Amino acid sequence: MGFDALVRQFEALFPACDPPRLCRAPGRVNLIGEHLDYNGLPVLPVAMGEEVRVAFAPADDGRIELRNMNPAYATAVFANTAEIPPSDGGAWENYVKAAVQGINRALDAKAFPGMKLLVDSNLPAHAGLSSSSALVVASAMAYLGVFEAAHAISLDRIALAECLARAEHYVGTQGGGMDQAAILCGKRGHAVKVDFFPLRIERVPMINDVAVVVCDSLVSANKTGDALLKYNAGPASCRLATALVEHQLREDFGGDIQLKRLGDLWYGHLCLTHQEAHDLCMSAIPDARTTVADVGRRLGLTAETVRETWLGAVPEPQGGFRLRARLRHIISEFRRVETARDALLAGEAEMLGELFNASHISCAEDYEISCPALDALAAACRDAGALGARLTGAGFGGAVVSLVPCDRTESFLKALAGSFYRRIPFLAERPPWSVVRVSNGASYV
Ligand code: NG1
């Protein structure tokens, strides 16, 4: 729906309000660099044309009222206070609550204004395209619009991206900051290389005659539902691995070396080379599987302390965690991001395609975030003429991103319709793929 229709609908729903203001927040497609952000290692996403759109106006009753153009999302109302209690399970208003509470905390708010919000979106949910973070960013911009009108306070984009990455933990996932950074700092025709802690952005021009195509596997991965623990197992495994690598560093070099996250091996005081970091990680975690009891023995802690300190609700898999494989993915994916950025700058599309393929294998075999449908779809995309194809986003379902020469896009989509999508009914006006329009970040309209 266009913005005019959104305004008309807002006025019909909230006749007593001021005329609404508007903002938009795009989805994002991660080109490469999966599950690196929470480790403090770089990623390379783009902001896409599909977006969340919001019409908003202040309300003087201190309550936030949300409506959605999609009737699947029920109306929600909550009081804006210093501590906003979350609604049950994966309720959609939790993303708005996350944004409002995050801004209140960042601005150390003493007053809590009310707001009416009408949301529309053409981004598919649970497809690995960050529809949830787009809603968080759009709601935050709306709330900042209301807040600023009242208090003339602002946050810059980088500060806002960092604030909202923390704020989204409210919904229960322990993600990094890739989505919020890409959504806020995207630029038309450019990929965004994002580095973390502190957040840094480099815009890298896309290659002119190559299209980015996302295809939905139609397996839904709901990260505040079924996929929550599967997703959080990634950060939890990395926290365990970090503790073991820190212990190894202290044994090798003595002293009280602190390793907050894996990325600190390359950045900060340590500045290891890729080879040094690789060798250190492999010697810290020599076995294919590591149990909680193994970690306890190594660090001189009880199993209970290990669970409480690093795992939280994430259960130990039968036989232990595959920490060595997880580290192999993190280290090799980091190198692929650096090489992909150079390949983009040099216009080397084939090289980028090869990196996509290698990333998919690493995500599937070493990080175990793929599923049969994603593997089949990535293979079908390669058969249909992609230079490379890989799952994108958290995984466990969702989308595959492919790199396709522009003059082959039509035949690529035709081939896919006849292969992977052959037995799947879909509406011609809403196909399960999208040729990505690499877009600007979120804005007021
Ligand atoms: P998506 O694909 O939007 O669920 C999630 C995390 C990212 C990142 C990727 C994997 C959130 C909000 N997003 O993204 O931070 O870790 O998975 O690369 O948790």
Side-chain angles (χ1 to χ4, degrees):
M1 153 177 309
F3 283 107
D4 290 347
L6 192 65
V7 169
R8 277 198 300 278
Q9 185 65 16
F10 185 96
E11 287 170 345
L13 288 169
F14 303 115
C17 275
D18 292 346
R21 290 181 61 195
L22 300 165
C23 65
R24 51 166 283 279
R28 68 96 186 93
V29 186
N30 190 18
L31 297 182
I32 197 159
E34 230 54 86
H35 289 258
L36 293 188
D37 54 356
Y38 50 78
N39 287 302
L41 290 167
V43 295
L44 194 66
V46 298
M48 65 193 301
E50 284 79 1
E51 60 191 19
V52 170
R53 296 174 167 186
V54 166
F56 63 96
D60 55 16
D61 58 0
R63 297 185 327 151
I64 309 244
E65 180 170 349
L66 312 172
R67 305 285 186 116
N68 200 307
M69 296 298 300
N70 180 343
Y73 298 98
T75 298
V77 185
F78 61 91
N80 185 11
T81 51
E83 286 300 320
I84 303 173
S87 308
D88 286 346
W92 76 285
E93 67 266 24
N94 279 343
Y95 296 101
V96 181
K97 290 181 170 186
V100 170
Q101 180 155 292
I103 301 285
N104 283 340
R105 288 196 177 158
L107 297 180
D108 195 18
K110 301 286 183 280
F112 303 96
M115 166 171 84
K116 310 274 189 207
L117 209 69
L118 175 62
V119 177
D120 190 23
S121 172
N122 58 2
L123 259 173
H126 316 315
L129 303 176
S130 250
S131 58
S132 53
S133 300
L135 177 57
V136 171
V137 171
S139 321
M141 290 186 51
Y143 185 55
L144 269 177
V146 165
F147 214 104
E148 276 177 335
H151 301 275
I153 300 172
S154 69
L155 290 168
D156 66 39
R157 271 173 195 261
I158 296 281
L160 184 57
E162 282 185 319
C163 156
L164 295 180
R166 278 192 304 277
E168 202 169 324
H169 288 184
Y170 179 94
V171 304
T173 41
Q174 300 165 357
M178 162 167 68
D179 303 348
Q180 302 79 4
I183 291 167
L184 277 158
C185 303
K187 183 174 171 191
R188 181 174 304 132
H190 290 68
V192 189
K193 176 160 179 269
V194 189
D195 280 273
F196 301 93
F197 308 110
L199 193 64
R200 284 153 288 152
I201 298 291
E202 179 195 2
R203 281 148 172 163
V204 189
M206 295 295 293
I207 303 171
N208 275 337
D209 47 3
V210 183
V212 173
V213 184
V214 274
C215 299
D216 194 341
S217 71
L218 303 168
V219 173
S220 158
N222 180 357
K223 285 201 293 99
T224 51
D226 313 345
L228 177 72
L229 281 179
K230 284 193 204 163
Y231 179 83
N232 284 349
S237 303
C238 291
R239 288 194 295 268
L240 270 188
T242 305
L244 290 170
V245 174
E246 181 187 69
H247 184 79
Q248 187 69 43
L249 268 172
R250 290 176 179 182
E251 276 195 350
D252 290 354
F253 300 105
D256 186 27
I257 300 176
Q258 309 272 331
L259 198 64
K260 246 182 143 172
R261 50 185 80 83
L262 291 167
D264 293 349
L265 292 174
W266 290 270
Y267 301 110
H269 299 306
L270 290 164
C271 267
L272 300 188
T273 64
H274 279 294
Q275 192 60 50
E276 286 167 338
H278 174 270
D279 294 349
L280 172 72
C281 289
M282 295 301 121
S283 71
I285 299 167
D287 302 317
R289 287 193 181 266
T290 312
T291 63
V292 168
D294 294 335
V295 179
R297 264 193 302 281
R298 186 103 173 95
L299 303 183
L301 301 170
T302 63
E304 204 185 348
T305 307
V306 171
R307 271 192 215 99
E308 270 172 19
T309 314
W310 291 293
L311 295 181
V314 171
E316 179 174 6
Q318 189 107 42
F321 290 89
R322 289 188 62 216
L323 297 185
R324 201 172 151 91
R326 300 296 182 266
L327 284 183
R328 255 195 326 257
H329 168 76
I330 299 295
I331 296 167
S332 63
E333 187 79 346
F334 173 27
R335 292 199 76 156
R336 283 187 287 273
V337 171
E338 301 285 358
T339 317
R341 171 229 179 241
D342 293 347
L344 265 187
L345 282 174
E348 289 171 357
E350 303 217 329
M351 161 67 89
L352 196 56
E354 280 167 28
L355 293 164
F356 273 34
N357 292 339
S359 171
H360 185 86
I361 293 171
S362 178
C363 285
E365 293 179 359
D366 282 345
Y367 223 70
E368 294 182 275
I369 53 169
S370 191
C371 63
L374 282 171
D375 290 340
L377 178 54
C381 289
R382 286 178 211 121
D383 291 347
L387 298 172
R390 56 178 294 279
L391 67 85
T392 182
F396 316 111
V400 161
V401 57
S402 297
L403 209 60
V404 185
C406 288
D407 57 3
R408 271 195 252 153
T409 319
E410 216 169 291
S411 63
F412 169 81
L413 294 176
K414 206 163 154 217
L416 270 186
S419 58
F420 185 84
Y421 294 117
R422 189 159 49 102
R423 288 200 196 83
I424 302 171
F426 59 85
L427 298 172
E429 67 276 15
R430 247 194 125 87
W433 57 70
S434 158
V435 179
V436 176
R437 278 175 289 126
V438 176
S439 300
N440 283 331
S443 58
Y444 293 101
V445 178

